[in-house]
Amino acid sequence: MPLRDGRLSHDIDPSDRPPQDACGVFGVWVPADQASRAEVSKLTYYGLYALQHRGQESAGIAVSDGSRIVVFKDMGLVAQVFDESVLNTLRGHIAVGHCRYSTTGSPTWENAQPTFRSSDAGGLALVHNGNLINTPELAARLAPGVLTATTDTEVLTALLATSGDGGPLAAAREILPATRGAYSLVFMDEGTLYAARDPEGIRPLVLGALEDSGWVVASETAGLDIVGARFVREIEPGELVAIDGDGVRSERFAEARPKGCLFEYVYLARPDTTIAGRSVQATRVEVGRRLAREHPVEADMVIPTPESGTPAAIGYAEASGIPYGQGLVKNSYVGRTFIQPSQTIRQLGIRLKLNPLREAIEGKRLVVVDDSIVRGNTQRAIVGMLRDAGAAEVHVRISSPPVAWPCFYGIDFATRAELIAGNLSVEEIRDSIGADSLGYISLDELISASHIAKDNLCRACFDGVYPIPVEEAARGKHLLEVGR
C-alpha cells in the first residue's frame, strides 16, 4: 500500500522533472561486543537521512548479527519506511543501507535495495550507487530464472553470491574486473563489511572511523558527519575494501582511471559535503564568482532559485557587487508524495514550490541564479512569475554549462531529444524561457573551480565525451524488463 505523507511532489509538472539524483549508500561495522550500544540500524537510518537527497523512491537496511542477515525495505522516504519499532528489530553489528532513485529498473518494491542472496556459503546483502553499462553481458552469465528483480544491482548481487567457493571477497576479485560502468558498492556477508568503487571512480564513496573502533562507508562525507564518524579517506577508484575484526584490508582489482562526476559539484552532492578534498559549497560559490565575471549585467538584485542556486548566487553577488536578496520563497514541505496533483492544481505549476516576494522584486532588475536547465519549463515559469510580480528585467544565470547529453552512469537525465540544450542554442533557450538575457558558466571555468584536472572528470552531460563507451543495447532504464 503506497505511503501517503500529504506533502507536495517536486513532480508537479511531470513533463519537467529535474535531473534525478543518483542513490545513497551507507555501511557500518562495529565490534560484535559493542552491537547493543552502537545500534547499527539507527546509525544507518541517520546516515541514509543525511543522504536522502540522492534518492527518494525507496529505502532499505540490512543488518547482520554474525549468524544471519535480516533485510527491511519499502517504497518511500527514509522516515516513512522506518520507525523506532522497525529499527529495534534490526539488531546486529554490521549494516548496509540504501535510498534509491531508479536509474535501472522501475521504481518497485522488488527493485528496492539492499538486494539479498543466499548461497551455500551464507547470505549477501548489497547496495549500489551508479549504473552498469554492460548489464546484458553480465546477466548472460546467470542461469535463466535466477533474477528476481530488473536492476543491474540484482545482476551484480547474484553474480557475487554464486561465483566460486571463496566467499564474497573471492567473488568480487573475479566479477568486478569484468564489470563496466559506474558503481560505488557497499555489501556484506554475516561477518564482514565490503566496499568497492569502479576504476573511474565516477560516483563518490568515503571511509570514516567511529570513536569506538567502528567503521563507516558512505556516499558523501555528510553521511559520516551525522553519525559522528571522522573522515579517513576516499575509497579509491578500482579499490576493494574488507572490514572485520582484523581491521580494514584493502586491495586493488583494477588500475585507477579517475573520472569523477563533475555534476556532483553542480547539483547532486550536499553543499556540506567534501569531494576530493574540495568543499562543494566553496566550489559552488566560486562558480558563482566566475559566472559573474563571464556574464556581467547591470541589475539591482541577485536572487537564487532556492535552494539549488543559493551558493552560486552568493558568489555572483560578491563578484559583481550587486546586492544579494531573497525574491522567491520555497515551500519547506515540498517533498515526495504518492498523491498525483489534479489538473487544476497542476496548472498552478511552480507556485506550489515557489512564490515571489512581490515587495522585494517589484520594479527591480533581477539576476536569477540556478544550477541547471533541463527542459526549460521551470525556468520559463519562474521568469513569467517574476514578471507578473512586477520585475522590470529578469536576467538568468546558470552555474553549469548547458546540459545537452544524457547520463548513463547513474543520473536519470532526459534523453537528448528532451533536453532543451540538446536542440536549441543559448539565444534560442533565452527566447524560449522569456528572459532578458541568459548566461551559462563555461565548462573550462566550472572545471577550474572544482580544482580537479579536466582529464580526471566525467563531463559527458556537458560535452558528450563519455569516458566509458556505452553500447546502444546497454542503454535505457528498463533494459532488463523488455520481454518480461
Side-chain angles (χ1 to χ4, degrees):
M1 188 72 176
L3 295 168
R4 301 180 183 273
D5 65 353
R7 292 189 286 183
L8 300 174
S9 172
H10 63 278
D11 293 329
I12 293 302
D13 181 356
S15 67
D16 191 39
R17 56 181 171 77
Q20 298 296 326
D21 301 4
C23 295
V25 298
F26 189 89
V28 58
W29 179 94
V30 300
D33 60 3
Q34 296 181 19
S36 60
R37 183 163 56 86
E39 296 184 293
V40 294
S41 64
K42 292 184 179 179
L43 291 177
T44 305
Y45 171 86
Y46 285 114
L48 295 180
Y49 202 90
L51 301 173
Q52 183 73 86
H53 61 288
R54 299 187 70 88
Q56 299 90 41
E57 287 184 353
S58 63
I61 295 174
V63 172
S64 170
D65 62 2
S67 60
R68 65 172 187 148
I69 296 173
V70 176
V71 180
F72 189 94
K73 61 184 181 180
D74 209 340
M75 306 303 294
L77 301 173
V78 175
Q80 294 172 318
V81 172
F82 297 100
D83 58 25
E84 192 87 20
S85 62
V86 171
L87 293 173
N88 286 337
T89 66
L90 300 174
R91 298 188 177 276
H93 73 288
I94 311 173
V96 298
H98 191 263
C99 52
R100 181 178 190 243
Y101 177 80
S102 54
T103 52
T104 297
S106 298
T108 63
W109 183 89
E110 290 78 11
N111 287 340
Q113 297 182 36
T115 49
F116 176 79
R117 285 275 164 169
S118 60
S119 67
D120 293 340
L124 178 77
L126 181 144
V127 294
H128 170 209
N129 172 207
N131 248 36
L132 307 186
I133 62 167
N134 65 332
T135 302
E137 173 190 321
L138 294 173
R141 297 185 175 204
L142 297 168
V146 167
L147 297 179
T148 59
T150 56
T151 65
D152 50 356
T153 309
E154 169 76 1
V155 172
L156 199 52
T157 306
L159 287 171
L160 290 173
T162 58
S163 297
D165 300 322
L169 194 60
R173 290 170 182 149
E174 175 189 345
I175 298 301
L176 294 183
T179 303
R180 292 190 295 115
Y183 53 93
S184 287
L185 306 175
V186 185
F187 54 106
M188 68 178 189
D189 57 17
E190 285 79 2
T192 305
L193 180 70
Y194 305 92
R197 197 173 175 202
D198 64 83
E200 287 73 23
I202 292 176
R203 298 278 150 243
L205 194 63
V206 295
L207 175 68
L210 294 168
E211 287 186 5
D212 298 327
S213 304
W215 297 92
V216 176
V217 180
S219 291
E220 298 183 26
T221 58
L224 305 181
D225 296 339
I226 199 171
V227 298
R230 173 179 55 86
F231 171 76
V232 175
R233 63 177 178 86
E234 294 193 351
I235 303 296
E236 295 295 325
E239 183 183 15
L240 172 62
V241 169
I243 303 171
D244 57 19
D246 294 325
V248 177
R249 291 166 286 138
S250 171
E251 61 184 78
R252 287 205 165 274
F253 64 87
E255 180 183 353
R257 303 183 292 270
K259 295 289 182 183
C261 173
L262 184 56
F263 205 70
E264 291 278 353
Y265 284 104
V266 172
Y267 178 86
L268 294 182
R270 279 175 49 148
D272 54 341
T273 278
T274 298
I275 302 176
R278 174 72 164 159
S279 160
V280 171
Q281 171 77 3
T283 300
R284 291 174 183 169
V285 172
E286 177 60 21
V287 168
R289 297 188 188 107
R290 293 168 184 254
L291 184 58
R293 292 192 286 268
E294 281 198 305
H295 298 285
V297 66
E298 291 187 7
D300 302 308
M301 186 165 66
V302 177
I303 68 171
T305 298
E307 274 91 15
S308 58
T310 299
I314 292 170
Y316 194 102
E318 286 180 3
S320 67
I322 302 169
Y324 173 90
Q326 186 178 16
L328 294 165
V329 175
K330 182 177 181 181
N331 179 354
S332 299
Y333 292 93
V334 172
R336 179 160 178 79
T337 178
F338 291 89
I339 302 172
Q340 293 299 311
S342 67
Q343 181 60 30
T344 302
I345 294 296
R346 190 178 291 121
Q347 287 172 349
L348 297 176
I350 198 70
R351 288 182 184 272
L352 290 167
K353 297 186 289 184
L354 300 171
N355 208 34
L357 285 169
R358 183 178 296 271
E359 65 278 8
I361 64 179
E362 191 168 12
K364 300 284 182 63
R365 299 169 296 172
L366 303 177
V367 179
V368 184
V369 181
D370 205 351
D371 57 24
S372 58
I373 299 178
V374 180
R375 292 173 176 83
N377 295 351
T378 297
Q379 282 74 19
R380 189 178 303 114
I382 289 173
V383 170
M385 182 169 59
L386 293 171
R387 292 200 190 282
D388 290 345
E393 297 175 9
V394 182
H395 302 275
V396 176
R397 297 295 181 264
I398 303 298
S399 61
S400 68
V403 176
W405 302 85
C407 176
F408 302 110
Y409 308 135
I411 308 173
D412 190 22
F413 277 130
T415 64
R416 182 161 168 78
E418 295 172 299
L419 292 166
I420 193 170
N423 299 276
L424 301 180
S425 68
V426 172
E427 181 58 24
E428 288 171 330
I429 296 171
R430 181 208 62 76
D431 184 63
S432 174
I433 66 176
D436 291 286
S437 70
L438 171 63
Y440 291 87
I441 190 77
S442 67
L443 181 56
D444 286 344
E445 288 294 327
L446 175 60
I447 291 170
S448 180
S450 76
H451 291 190
I452 299 177
K454 181 177 182 179
D455 290 344
N456 289 347
L457 288 166
C458 176
R459 321 168 305 270
C461 57
F462 302 127
D463 62 9
V465 178
Y466 293 94
I468 316 171
V470 186
E471 298 294 333
E472 192 69 34
R475 300 181 181 187
K477 182 172 178 176
H478 305 288
L479 59 90
L480 290 178
E481 296 172 351
V482 176
R484 283 176 67 101

